[in-house]
Amino acid sequence: MRNGHDALLAGACALATVTLILLLLGGRGGRRRNPALPHCQPAPRAPAGSAANEGAELARLRQAYITAVRDSLTGVHLQTPAVVPGAGSELQQEPFAAEQRSGGLDWPLYGATMVGTTRLNNLQELLTSVLQENVPGSFVECGVWRGGASVFAKAVLSAHGSDREVHLVDSFQGLPPNTTAQDKHDWYEMEYLRVSQDQVADVFQRYGLLDGQVHFHKGYFRYALPAWKAQGGVGPIAVLRMDGDMFESTMDQLYNLYDAVSPGGYIIIDDYTIPECHRAVHEFLERHGLQHRITQVDYVGAWLRKDKEEPPVDQSWYQTFNASRAAEHA
């Protein structure tokens, strides 16, 4: 599976790059059209001759690049098959289904993200918002799998000429075994979710997006996030993307990172409709008297905006919760 994944990922990266080159050439000469790539068709070019038209052309090319990267990362370009979610390593394959892939409802066999195009579009919108409004801070993703959502965020930032930092927090060995009765052991048994840091860095490298602004923080959230905070490295966060699935992982993210999210910044809850995650989010908000509007993106994901400065998070509940947790064990 690894060799097949390498070959298809390399092909998808090359396809995204060639698409961008063709679009750039099309911006200077005639319009190039490839009927095999319906998701990457450039919008009609603005007539040349004015600064406004040149700005519109730049925006068109920027969006064409972002779309090419998105459809490459999700496996849409090559219509890669999916696997049925489950435990173990021998998983049943299913043919590509556009609606499933768009909604992030399948696990791509060959692809760098299972987020789906709808949630990646939303991620682009939120990143563009913080750039336009000068909301300070980095992009942080907790729970990255093969790294596709963070690669996409880096692509969006780079396409806008931004050098904001991108932080990836993950065990890089799958989800943890549950340490309380709030969660089940099932997540830990899903071998398909175990992806090494080197594999994730390799995806960044293949897209030409691995640089000094990309940072990796390895460990289960309950350890990696406090360690990062203790090092003084958690600066302001403009967009926090939470993808931890479990009750305890969601609490780890909120109690360790919520205070760092800038006023005007966004929190993306990738697993909002998973009962354990949903319960953790609402318990946290209610415990702190927060009444944020939560906007659902698709069947699974949602986001909220931290629209003003707020009092620091009360850590007393979290300290008690941590004291009650068992040590991780298989």
Side-chain angles (χ1 to χ4, degrees):
M1 181 182 297
R2 175 66 178 156
N3 290 337
H5 178 262
D6 283 349
L8 281 176
L9 181 57
C13 293
L15 186 55
T17 302
V18 170
T19 300
L20 178 59
I21 292 171
L22 290 174
L23 288 165
L24 288 169
L25 289 173
R28 293 191 173 95
R31 182 183 177 195
R32 304 298 204 271
R33 181 176 178 85
N34 185 346
L37 301 177
H39 294 275
C40 296
Q41 299 309 315
R45 285 194 297 124
S50 72
N53 289 337
E54 290 177 3
E57 180 70 355
L58 177 59
R60 180 184 73 84
L61 293 171
R62 177 190 296 121
Q63 184 55 51
Y65 164 70
I66 292 171
T67 300
V69 171
R70 181 200 69 190
D71 290 348
S72 170
L73 289 167
T74 56
V76 168
H77 268 329
L78 300 179
Q79 298 189 354
T80 62
V83 298
V84 179
S89 57
E90 298 298 325
L91 301 179
Q92 177 184 344
Q93 291 190 33
E94 291 185 337
F96 173 81
E99 186 175 351
Q100 292 287 101
R101 192 64 52 88
S102 176
L105 298 175
D106 65 3
W107 288 7
L109 180 62
Y110 305 119
T113 180
M114 58 179 71
V115 169
T117 55
T118 301
R119 270 174 273 160
L120 287 185
N121 287 343
N122 173 252
L123 175 55
Q124 180 187 349
E125 292 171 3
L126 301 187
L127 286 168
T128 303
S129 171
V130 298
L131 290 173
Q132 291 176 341
E133 299 177 28
N134 294 316
V135 176
S138 58
F139 171 79
V140 177
E141 182 177 33
C142 298
V144 307
W145 193 47
R146 292 174 178 163
S150 287
V151 170
F152 182 73
K154 177 67 172 175
V156 172
L157 293 171
S158 297
H160 284 274
S162 172
D163 63 352
R164 295 190 186 216
E165 295 185 334
V166 172
H167 294 270
L168 295 84
V169 186
D170 201 290
S171 71
F172 299 103
Q173 58 185 22
L175 274 74
N178 63 303
T179 61
T180 75
Q182 300 275 10
D183 289 300
K184 300 175 182 178
H185 197 66
D186 300 10
W187 292 108
Y188 177 76
E189 298 173 350
M190 295 183 180
E191 295 182 22
Y192 195 66
L193 301 181
R194 298 175 185 174
V195 181
S196 72
Q197 180 177 323
D198 286 345
Q199 288 175 281
V200 175
D202 184 56
V203 178
F204 272 90
Q205 185 67 55
R206 291 181 190 224
Y207 282 86
L209 294 169
L210 184 63
D211 60 22
Q213 300 301 99
V214 178
H215 308 277
F216 298 90
H217 308 276
K218 185 175 181 179
Y220 292 139
F221 297 162
R222 68 183 291 193
Y223 306 117
L225 292 175
W228 184 21
K229 289 173 63 179
Q231 294 168 359
V234 182
I237 299 172
V239 177
L240 168 61
R241 186 173 187 280
M242 304 196 311
D243 193 353
D245 302 282
M246 302 166 67
F247 176 90
E248 55 194 83
S249 296
T250 303
M251 287 299 192
D252 289 330
Q253 293 167 85
L254 289 170
Y255 274 93
N256 282 285
L257 298 179
Y258 184 87
D259 283 341
V261 176
S262 298
Y266 296 95
I267 297 175
I268 298 171
I269 311 158
D270 186 76
D271 312 299
Y272 183 64
T273 58
I274 293 178
E276 291 81 3
C277 174
H278 186 276
R279 186 171 68 251
V281 168
H282 285 276
E283 283 189 16
F284 175 86
L285 294 177
E286 291 168 9
R287 189 172 293 120
H288 293 88
L290 301 172
Q291 298 181 344
H292 292 299
R293 174 187 175 187
I294 297 178
T295 301
Q296 199 150 339
V297 179
D298 55 15
Y299 179 76
V300 181
W303 60 271
L304 62 84
R305 189 170 202 183
K306 187 177 177 183
D307 51 9
K308 62 183 179 180
E309 193 71 50
E310 297 171 354
V313 167
D314 180 358
Q315 296 289 329
S316 57
W317 180 91
Y318 186 60
Q319 292 167 356
T320 302
F321 175 68
N322 275 334
S324 73
R325 299 165 80 173
E328 286 85 358
H329 55 81

